[in-house]
Amino acid sequence: MAHDETESDADQEVASEDGEHLAKLNANLAKVEELSKRLVAAMGQRTPADVGLQGPGQDLYMKAGLAYWADMMSNPSKMLETQAQYWGQAMAHFMEMQNALAEGKMPLLPDDDLPSDKRFANPLWRTHPYFNFVRHQYVMGSEAIRQAVADLEGLEPKDKHRVEFFASQVIELFSPTNYFATNPDALEKAVETDGESLVHGLENLVRDIETHHGEILPTLADPDAFEVGGNIGTSEGSVVYRNRMMELIQYAPKTEKVHKTPLIIFPPWINKFYILDLKPQNSLIKWIVEQGYTLFVVSWKNPDESYSDVGLEDYVEDGYLTAIEQVKEITGEKQVNTVGYCIAGTTLNLTLALMKKRKDKSIKSATFFTTLTDFSEQGEFTPFLQDDFVEAIERQIDQDGVLSSYFMSKTMSFLRSKDLIYGPAVRSYMMGEAPPAFDLLFWNGDSTNLPGKMTMQYLRGLCQGNGLATDGFELCGETLSLKDVTVPLCAVGCMTDHIAAWADSFRGVTKMASKDKTFILSESGHIAGIVNPPSKKKYGHYTNPDVSGAAEDWLEAADYNEGSWWPRWEAWLAKRSGAMIKAREPGADGHEILAPAPGTYVKESKAA
């Protein structure tokens, strides 16, 4: 009897578990049905294919195809040899796998023969015959594509660079980790969660498509985890001036005395300034104030279509020059020190050249963070700076009045598609994970629009025409050149910067007429190399007082220094910042305070 009762209890427990699984399955199916309807509706929002940036690059594909066939006709043996080599490797590997399975073995290629890739960290990529085979076939196919492109002849260097870029995008797209049937992590999680991970993934997919009006753009960070002025961008200060282009923030002093000469930071207007004030422990703004400086930071307006006619001249006149005059008036000083970051550094060069023409000596020194001024080499942006892409951008601007933040975000993401597109998509859509609470990625997604006129001036005149570094760039009634930049300057490049390659930044510095030049090369990239506080002791930097000649020669003779470049730059700045005086408080001497930092413009959402 006791035995029968035990069996009955066990049967009831199994039945209960089966019932729970069935209920869970039915609930998930109901969610899938609802989400599918939303997905269809969201996809219907997609912009028509004939607008904006849809379809640029057709001429490039035609050129590449013609080059391929011309090469094959003139040298068919080379092309056939490449194809035969790939098929031979693929078939040999397939036969090895078949024989191995027949013998109960796994004599596949050793892992040492494959490049390290965190996407393939799951042990099943090594131990399971199916995934091991798929992984090796992907590696061989990728190498075959790279080799075919490398062997192309008859293309201009820029066109070949672009073909290489698009080939790399194809390789990333077809990674087996991007597809559910060939991703062991996603398959395992789906089994472990009874399919609930896939339901969450579909929810994430529908949310992103609805947010981006029919386009798939993964959400990189939890949008509810951060609040600008709440838990990021919290340094104490006040908005002391505002116009249609910018808000000027004066930060509250943290020392009893400060250097006499005030400092103004001009951040890029492609993103928002609080990258320099994410958290107290890595805030450059907070650190500068703590070193004893009266610090002002410009927070740019996020433009809408009414700003379509705003050009670089407006940024110079109503941004830079106005900010400088306001700071001089507030502090009572005749000169200021300045910092320009990325595109704001490029425009600071334009401002310096214009002030030279006007005999205005208000700027005592200039610092450039990851700044390009000589665009003779376009690096990773080569695919996006050719006429077909620029013309497509111009069409989108003609329609919207601004270059939408959506296109800027997408372009930047494709430069690092593995980390900023496919990786987040896999985690969100296949694994069903929520976006992480990561402040840097939150900031990265908080991008801004660009005024139409300014965008085309930058792309046509500076990037394509390279006017500032060559024959001069026409602006504000003057012809401006790097030869007009004569103030003491310090430039900081970042070794792995994929946006402003350090060697290109260095080349521009060598063309400036200043006799007092310093160049510092930080380890890491466009953001991490700049936001590199001394407390972390993470990235070092290189120095060499001879800022001339070729970049590679400068680096070969440079000294490596442990730790952040911030203290080295501050020592340089201190020598050009005057004596110590009583600290200045925002609002002193009757100057109006308009709002607490970080101000109002930085909190404006994307306008288009």
Side-chain angles (χ1 to χ4, degrees):
M1 178 68 89
H3 179 67
D4 291 342
E5 288 178 357
T6 301
E7 285 187 345
S8 177
D9 290 343
D11 290 342
Q12 290 179 4
E13 186 176 340
V14 170
S16 176
E17 289 179 356
D18 289 344
E20 289 178 7
H21 282 300
L22 183 60
K24 196 172 185 180
L25 177 61
N26 288 333
N28 285 336
L29 288 174
K31 287 182 182 178
V32 168
E33 183 178 0
E34 177 192 348
L35 288 167
S36 297
K37 293 177 181 177
R38 285 175 57 194
L39 180 62
V40 171
M43 292 297 290
Q45 302 177 51
R46 188 166 186 172
T47 306
D50 59 347
V51 304
L53 299 179
Q54 300 290 339
Q58 298 303 317
D59 291 344
L60 173 66
Y61 304 140
M62 184 175 292
K63 287 179 185 176
L66 291 174
Y68 180 89
W69 287 109
D71 205 13
M72 188 167 183
M73 294 299 292
S74 63
N75 191 1
S77 61
K78 184 181 78 171
M79 307 302 288
L80 292 173
E81 181 181 349
T82 300
Q83 293 295 325
Q85 183 178 12
Y86 164 65
W87 283 111
Q89 289 176 339
M91 290 303 298
H93 180 240
F94 177 76
M95 295 303 296
E96 286 177 9
M97 185 198 71
Q98 292 284 74
N99 293 335
L101 290 177
E103 298 174 6
K105 299 178 182 178
M106 276 270 295
L108 300 174
L109 296 175
D111 288 327
D112 289 345
D113 290 348
L114 295 177
S116 176
D117 192 327
K118 63 183 180 181
R119 294 176 297 181
F120 300 101
N122 192 310
L124 288 175
W125 290 112
R126 297 167 180 77
T127 61
H128 193 283
Y130 170 67
F131 293 114
N132 195 304
F133 174 71
V134 167
R135 178 188 179 208
H136 282 83
Q137 289 289 322
Y138 171 67
V139 171
M140 285 187 284
S142 300
E143 183 55 36
I145 292 174
R146 292 190 187 95
Q147 189 61 50
V149 171
D151 290 342
L152 273 179
E153 297 178 359
L155 284 177
E156 294 294 325
K158 286 185 178 180
D159 287 334
K160 188 164 186 180
H161 188 135
R162 299 177 76 200
V163 173
E164 289 170 348
F165 173 80
F166 291 122
S168 72
Q169 295 302 313
V170 170
I171 290 171
E172 296 301 340
L173 172 64
F174 285 105
S175 168
T177 56
N178 295 339
Y179 303 92
F180 182 68
T182 51
N183 187 319
D185 296 305
L187 289 167
E188 286 180 327
K189 189 163 186 180
V191 172
E192 291 169 1
T193 62
D194 292 322
E196 194 165 350
S197 61
L198 298 180
V199 177
H200 290 322
L202 184 57
E203 289 175 338
N204 293 340
L205 175 63
V206 171
R207 174 204 63 210
D208 287 344
I209 292 178
E210 287 177 341
T211 300
H212 299 296
H213 309 292
E215 295 285 347
I216 301 177
L217 195 64
T219 299
L220 298 180
D222 181 355
D224 299 320
F226 301 100
E227 179 188 359
V228 180
N231 54 359
I232 53 176
T234 59
S235 290
E236 183 185 359
S238 304
V239 175
V240 292
Y241 179 80
R242 179 188 295 126
N243 63 17
R244 72 178 189 133
M245 295 300 297
M246 55 93 178
E247 288 184 329
L248 182 65
I249 302 170
Q250 180 180 355
Y251 284 90
K254 298 301 177 184
T255 55
E256 291 185 4
K257 291 191 174 184
V258 295
H259 287 278
K260 193 171 187 290
T261 305
L263 176 66
I264 312 175
I265 295 180
F266 296 97
W269 49 88
I270 292 175
N271 287 95
K272 296 181 180 179
F273 81 90
Y274 64 87
I275 185 59
L276 301 175
D277 192 35
L278 282 178
K279 292 179 290 191
Q281 55 266 40
N282 65 359
S283 169
L284 179 59
I285 286 174
K286 178 176 179 290
W287 186 86
I288 289 173
V289 172
E290 290 174 343
Q291 308 314 303
Y293 291 88
T294 302
L295 177 63
F296 295 82
V297 176
V298 165
S299 174
W300 299 103
K301 175 74 174 179
N302 186 4
D304 58 21
E305 63 274 8
S306 67
Y307 282 69
S308 61
D309 291 331
V310 167
L312 284 169
E313 61 272 23
D314 297 291
Y315 278 89
V316 170
E317 295 280 8
D318 297 335
Y320 288 73
L321 296 179
T322 298
I324 290 167
E325 286 306 310
Q326 288 297 317
V327 171
K328 287 165 58 179
E329 180 181 326
I330 289 170
T331 62
E333 299 297 323
K334 294 181 179 181
Q335 288 187 304
V336 302
N337 288 318
T338 54
V339 175
Y341 192 171
C342 191
I343 189 175
T346 307
T347 312
L348 178 56
N349 273 276
L350 293 171
T351 305
L352 288 165
L354 179 64
M355 294 173 76
K356 178 73 173 179
K357 297 283 188 179
R358 294 178 176 178
K359 296 180 171 53
D360 185 343
K361 298 181 179 181
S362 297
I363 292 183
K364 193 173 184 179
S365 76
T367 298
F368 307 112
F369 294 165
T370 61
T371 293
L372 293 178
T373 52
D374 182 347
F375 293 88
S376 55
E377 297 290 337
Q378 297 168 346
E380 294 194 37
F381 277 92
T382 298
F384 305 104
L385 292 177
Q386 307 314 306
D387 282 338
D388 51 356
F389 271 83
V390 174
E391 288 165 4
I393 290 171
E394 196 163 21
R395 290 195 298 272
Q396 189 265 321
I397 285 173
D398 288 342
Q399 174 182 285
D400 296 338
V402 294
L403 177 60
S404 168
S405 61
Y406 168 78
F407 293 118
M408 288 300 301
S409 297
K410 202 164 187 179
T411 299
M412 294 298 183
S413 293
F414 271 109
L415 290 174
R416 289 295 180 269
S417 58
K418 183 194 301 184
D419 298 323
L420 296 178
I421 295 179
Y422 301 117
V426 167
R427 291 190 294 273
S428 183
Y429 308 147
M430 285 200 283
M431 306 293 288
E433 297 176 4
F438 188 6
D439 56 357
L440 180 59
L441 290 180
F442 175 86
W443 167 85
N444 187 72
D446 191 14
S447 54
T448 60
N449 305 315
L450 300 179
K453 181 180 178 181
M454 184 285 301
T455 301
M456 298 315 300
Q457 286 175 311
Y458 181 76
L459 292 176
R460 294 288 194 197
L462 291 174
C463 295
Q464 287 189 317
N466 200 24
L468 187 58
T470 54
D471 299 330
F473 183 76
E474 300 292 331
L475 196 72
C476 300
E478 299 284 356
T479 301
L480 309 178
S481 167
L482 292 180
K483 296 176 182 177
D484 299 316
V485 179
T486 58
V487 302
L489 64 90
C490 177
V492 182
C494 297
M495 182 164 281
T496 58
D497 194 333
H498 66 287
I499 294 174
W502 80 267
D504 298 337
S505 176
F506 180 88
R507 185 175 60 253
V509 173
T510 63
K511 293 185 177 182
M512 297 175 195
S514 172
K515 295 180 181 179
D516 181 358
K517 301 178 185 178
T518 297
F519 191 85
I520 301 171
L521 178 60
S522 174
E523 290 183 314
S524 196
H526 193 71
I527 301 299
I530 297 299
V531 183
N532 179 26
S535 58
K536 284 192 174 182
K537 299 180 181 178
K538 191 171 184 180
Y539 301 118
H541 59 281
Y542 294 85
T543 54
N544 177 353
D546 182 13
V547 185
S548 63
E552 56 269 23
D553 295 333
W554 180 92
L555 181 58
E556 185 177 352
D559 295 323
Y560 177 75
N561 307 271
E562 296 281 353
S564 172
W565 56 269
W566 289 9
R568 184 176 300 276
W569 168 66
E570 191 278 323
W572 178 90
L573 183 65
K575 294 177 181 178
R576 296 157 180 81
S577 297
M580 304 300 289
I581 62 171
K582 183 180 178 181
R584 307 174 177 106
E585 295 285 347
D589 299 326
H591 291 284
E592 184 180 4
I593 290 179
L594 304 178
T600 60
Y601 283 179
V602 74
K603 296 181 181 181
E604 293 176 343
S605 60
K606 300 170 185 175

